[in-house]
Amino acid sequence: MHDHVLDAGRAGARLTIDLAALEANWRDLAARAAPAECAAAVKADAYGLGLEPVVRRLHDAGCLTFFVALPEEALRLRAVAPDATVYLLNGLLPGWVDTIADAGIRPVLGSPEEWDDWAAAGARAGRPLPAALHIDTGMNRLGLTQAEAERLAADPTRRAAVALALVMSHLATADEPGHALIGRQLARFRAATALFPGVPASLANSAGIFAGADFHFGLVRPGVALYGGAVQAGRPSPMMPVVRLDAPILRVRPVPAGEPIGYGAARTLPRDSRIAILSVGYADGYHRLASSTDARPGGHVAIEGRPAPVVGRISMDLMAVDVTDHEQAHRGTRVELIGPHVPLTSIAAAMGTIDYEVLTSLGRRYRRVYLDEA
Ligand SMILES: *Cc1c(COP(=O)(O)O)cnc(C)c1O
């Protein structure tokens, strides 16, 4: 309904999210990780793709366990999947303990203080409440040290005050094959899980699933691979693409050799050119680092499957691409900014970042279309 109005109001930039591909990726990862359970990391609005449609689809496909970062995300998830198991990665944020307990959300306890706060909430509730325990094995971010975990395990009263449902840790270098840290993390994690016999364990993110069965334990927690992202730094993604971004050309203009394009006159045309203007800019998450200047090439888009380079600086709401070699390009021609011919990994490289940040930066001004929505 009103698609034409929305298209005009948003100058036609369209983000297409293929829910069938999302489901296929989850099934693929679940098969690789079996017999481990395959959960889904859906923090940050399901990596920018939209928490509700993503969770609905994965839950229907059989995904029972979800990981989010923040209480607000956990509550939104609860509303869509009331029977799902929801883990809160950032743990017990002060002021949220009772809300989290009342909503049946499981915090990932990341410090001894959080363990004791959750134990106290259990005492108020009249029963130990379920939670995951995060053990730090090499990130030095959240998570108990091995010594802290040993002290906890050696204190039966304190240990019994939380219904421990999962022991987990997080890999720092799983996307860099051959890095020495991953083996150390595995050994440390095994030592930590031995302190909590009978409790299910989880170590693998997306890249960890591909690192081999040793890393799977009882449950895996892929995020970026679900959404089509790469699992090895700098390598093409083995997953199905889920996101496509395209926008129509607003105008094509001839610009003679020697003229500059855009802010800062940072790019001067070496030849007589045809320049196409698109209604997408850095305010839409098309990062300014993908600009091209005389010193440095930038990103590229694709027109009918063939690449066309970004020219000049990316503006807030506009960008320019060189269509001199695309004679068919005219006002209204749809240009692919992310998709089968412009993979996330290549755009991420042009922006000096990773697939994750391209996804989580996807703008709010795009018309969003969910393919294959039930
Ligand atoms: C985000 C996150 C994941 C998912 O990571 P990907 O690399 O996107 O697969 C898994 N575990 C934890 C603790 C996370 O923060």
Side-chain angles (χ1 to χ4, degrees), residues 63-358:
C63 183
L64 303 174
T65 304
F66 295 89
F67 289 81
V68 294
L70 299 178
E72 187 253 354
E73 298 168 347
L75 296 173
R76 276 171 60 194
L77 201 157
R78 254 285 152 269
V80 183
D83 63 335
T85 299
V86 183
Y87 284 106
L88 189 51
L89 287 165
N90 286 13
L92 276 190
L93 282 98
W96 281 93
V97 176
D98 291 330
T99 310
I100 293 167
D102 291 348
I105 293 157
R106 300 181 178 184
V108 177
L109 303 171
S111 69
E113 294 80 3
E114 288 185 18
W115 180 280
D116 293 335
D117 283 356
W118 196 241
R124 289 196 293 280
R127 67 186 167 95
L129 297 173
L133 178 63
H134 191 164
I135 309 286
D136 183 69
T137 56
M139 285 282 256
N140 289 300
R141 218 171 48 168
L142 296 176
L144 271 65
T145 65
Q146 178 71 10
E148 287 168 339
E150 281 169 11
R151 277 199 291 281
L152 176 61
D155 181 340
T157 311
R158 207 167 152 228
R159 163 69 184 82
V162 169
L164 187 57
L166 188 70
V167 178
M168 55 175 274
S169 190
H170 194 39
L171 296 167
T173 60
D175 59 341
E176 297 172 50
H179 198 291
L181 181 57
I182 191 168
R184 284 210 302 280
Q185 286 199 271
L186 180 60
R188 289 175 184 164
F189 188 58
R190 285 194 172 127
T193 56
L195 298 171
F196 304 97
V199 179
S202 176
L203 180 60
N205 63 342
S206 299
I209 294 172
F210 289 81
D214 280 355
F215 293 86
H216 295 168
F217 293 88
L219 181 138
V220 297
R221 322 181 296 268
V224 78
L226 292 171
Y227 312 114
V231 294
Q232 273 185 28
R235 287 278 208 88
S237 173
M239 312 308 295
M240 285 180 66
V242 174
V243 173
R244 183 186 163 96
L245 175 63
D246 63 63
I249 292 173
L250 298 184
R251 76 161 295 183
V252 175
R253 64 186 304 144
V255 186
E259 282 290 311
I261 302 286
Y263 284 116
R267 172 82 178 138
T268 306
L269 294 175
R271 58 173 179 173
D272 292 347
S273 304
R274 292 173 73 235
I275 301 300
I277 307 301
L278 309 179
S279 178
V280 171
Y282 61 75
D284 302 300
Y286 201 94
H287 209 291
R288 198 163 165 279
L289 283 167
S291 300
S292 79
T293 67
D294 291 331
R296 176 185 175 281
H300 72 274
V301 300
I303 299 171
E304 289 176 4
R306 286 194 300 123
V310 169
V311 270
R313 293 224 175 113
I314 308 288
S315 305
M316 185 184 294
D317 316 295
L318 295 170
M319 58 189 278
V321 297
D322 185 338
V323 295
T324 314
D325 300 327
H326 296 266
E327 270 146 39
Q328 79 288 13
H330 58 271
R331 176 174 184 227
T333 300
R334 293 206 79 90
V335 172
E336 174 187 331
L337 292 104
I338 300 174
H341 305 97
V342 190
L344 276 177
T345 309
S346 80
I347 182 113
M351 294 178 181
T353 184
I354 52 177
D355 298 16
Y356 299 73
E357 196 181 10
V358 176

